Amino acid sequence: MSALNSQNLSTGVMSSLMACTGGAIMIINCAETAGFSRSHLISWLFCVYCLGGILNLVLTWKYKIPFAGAHSITAVAFLSTVVDQFTLNELAGGFIMAGGLIAVFGFTGLFSKALDFIPKPFIDAMLAGLVLQYVVNIIPALKDSPLIGGMAILGFFIAPKISKSIPPLLGVILFGVLGLVIGHDFQAVPEAAEFALPQIIIPSFTVHSFFSIAIPIAVLILTNDIAVALAALKKNDYQPPVNQALVLSGIGTLIAGFFGGHAVNIGGMMTALCSSKEAGPKENRIGAAIVSGALVTLFGIFAWKVIMIIEMLPSAFITMLSGFALLAVLLNSMEAAFSESSYRYSTLFAFLIAISNVSFVGISSPVWSLLVGILSAQIFGEGKFNKRTVRGEQT
């Protein structure tokens, strides 16, 4: 590997910030919703960031391809909507089964076949519906803290003007922190968290957690993280090891489940950034991935300190960071979902059901979103379910 330069060093830092800002905040909020203890939260953060960083470092070093990631932010966004419906043991069982499903797709090579069966607009519509509420919450947070929110929004627009290689999220963080320093009164310092080793959780495997936890998380990781990462690598003239990436992400998620972690995988946007031209010449880009993986791993090691810092932040600021972290995900998902003219009502139905966040007969809204989307497309004869189109292609 060639020596690090300013391009791949800065890109690696930016990539790690994608995981270590909004993603960490969302995990903490999710753990609070579930009523987890401090030790369980530390265990969760430690395993997904340490294992995630190590996984991507190993893949990068072995295949000389820039892999970057930690855990699935979109999976956390989904999990926060259902986490209070399950015990910690059931959640662990669901995470382990999700990892097993991902590994099976890698071992059997069924990944591409499954993606072919589920039209991508439905997956994009489901994801958009899941993250919409986080982005919408930026508005009331701005009302509660107009100075901090105004500075964060200013940073969102200014950062790309300074340099196109600077992601808007970094501007949000820097200007938002500046707004905190100017306008927020840090009245009390929370009690420092004590270091705790990762705790092994005895999993409980249930049909309910399989359908409402394992399947949605596996689908989100496969489609919105791994698939995006692999597509970005191919776009940037790399030949990624598809099955190996799936198997190792599945095994990593499976192991993390025993410690309360929801996912360990290669990241879509992080890999896309580290493999892009922003990371410098192609032969140097693995340097960006190594920097990203190393910083993500260190973040996991010091997770017990990070919790105290985040707890000092006002809830409005955390809400805004979460929303801005998912803004690009929402935009890309909405654009991809509704730009496909061959699907109309079915995509809309999938989107609306995902927004509703309702569970029925023990099955959560993301699964119903995909099922209703496929069923309605068949009824209306939309997209690939249009028999006339299929016959025309065959002839």
Side-chain angles (χ1 to χ4, degrees):
M1 182 186 73
S2 301
L4 288 174
N5 56 45
S6 59
Q7 277 185 296
N8 51 48
L9 179 61
S10 61
T11 302
V13 173
M14 300 298 179
S15 172
S16 65
L17 284 174
M18 289 183 179
C20 299
T21 52
I25 290 172
M26 292 173 71
I27 288 178
I28 293 173
N29 288 341
C30 192
E32 290 178 352
T33 300
F36 287 178
S37 66
R38 179 61 59 88
S39 60
H40 284 136
L41 171 58
I42 294 173
S43 180
W44 186 351
L45 289 168
F46 180 90
C47 70
V48 296
Y49 282 101
C50 282
L51 291 178
I54 292 171
L55 166 70
N56 286 278
L57 284 172
V58 169
L59 284 169
T60 297
W61 189 258
K62 181 176 181 179
Y63 296 104
K64 300 299 184 288
I65 292 176
F67 286 97
H71 63 87
S72 174
I73 295 178
T74 54
V76 178
F78 152 71
L79 193 60
S80 65
T81 65
V82 298
V83 69
D84 56 347
Q85 302 173 23
F86 298 87
T87 66
L88 180 59
N89 306 87
E90 289 176 324
L91 289 171
F95 301 155
I96 293 169
M97 289 188 286
L101 287 173
I102 296 170
V104 167
F105 275 99
F107 280 121
T108 60
L110 293 174
F111 182 57
S112 59
K113 295 180 181 179
L115 287 181
D116 288 340
F117 179 73
I118 303 174
K120 192 175 185 301
F122 300 162
I123 298 173
D124 290 315
M126 176 192 71
L127 177 62
L130 287 175
V131 304
L132 178 63
Q133 60 178 319
Y134 291 92
V135 178
V136 170
N137 285 339
I138 293 176
I139 306 303
L142 176 62
K143 179 182 177 182
D144 293 339
S145 300
L147 174 61
I148 299 172
M151 291 292 290
I153 293 174
L154 183 63
F156 181 84
F157 289 106
I158 287 180
K161 296 293 184 180
I162 297 174
S163 173
K164 292 183 178 180
S165 63
I166 301 177
L169 180 60
L170 180 60
V172 170
I173 295 171
L174 294 178
F175 278 74
V177 169
L178 180 60
L180 279 174
V181 174
I182 296 173
H184 183 68
D185 183 16
F186 295 94
Q187 296 181 350
V189 177
E191 182 181 353
E194 296 182 358
F195 176 76
L197 292 172
Q199 297 186 0
I200 296 179
I201 299 169
I202 304 301
S204 175
F205 302 102
T206 65
V207 174
H208 187 195
S209 62
F210 177 76
F211 283 102
S212 294
I213 295 293
I215 290 179
I217 286 181
V219 169
L220 289 171
I221 293 173
L222 286 168
T223 58
N224 296 293
D225 292 290
I226 297 177
V228 172
L230 296 176
L233 288 171
K234 290 183 178 180
K235 177 184 177 182
N236 291 311
D237 297 325
Y238 292 97
Q239 298 300 321
V242 176
N243 291 337
Q244 292 89 333
L246 285 168
V247 169
L248 290 177
S249 292
I251 293 174
T253 299
L254 189 152
I255 294 173
F258 281 102
F259 300 96
H262 70 290
V264 166
N265 53 268
I266 60 175
M269 298 307 297
M270 293 172 68
T271 298
L273 180 60
C274 289
S275 64
S276 67
K277 293 180 180 179
E278 282 74 16
K282 183 179 177 182
E283 61 272 14
N284 290 348
R285 293 175 193 171
I286 64 170
I290 290 174
V291 170
S292 177
L295 291 176
V296 166
T297 304
L298 287 174
F299 183 86
I301 293 173
F302 292 100
W304 59 290
K305 287 288 189 182
V306 174
I307 296 173
M308 182 185 70
I309 297 173
I310 292 179
E311 286 181 341
M312 294 175 61
L313 302 174
S315 59
F317 179 69
I318 294 175
T319 299
M320 281 186 284
L321 277 186
S322 300
F324 279 111
L326 291 170
L327 188 60
V329 176
L330 175 64
L331 181 62
N332 293 333
S333 298
M334 292 281 286
E335 182 179 5
F338 294 103
S339 63
E340 180 56 68
S341 59
S342 59
Y343 297 97
R344 296 182 62 193
Y345 291 107
S346 52
T347 302
L348 178 61
F349 292 157
F351 176 65
L352 293 175
I353 291 174
I355 293 177
S356 69
N357 189 29
V358 296
S359 297
F360 182 63
V361 295
I363 300 176
S364 56
S365 61
V367 178
W368 282 118
S369 174
L370 295 177
L371 290 176
V372 171
I374 293 172
L375 181 60
S376 58
Q378 290 177 327
I379 294 173
F380 290 112
E382 294 183 333
K384 70 177 184 179
F385 301 103
N386 188 322
K387 295 180 181 180
R388 288 175 296 177
T389 302
V390 172
R391 282 198 294 267
E393 292 175 350
Q394 289 175 342
T395 58

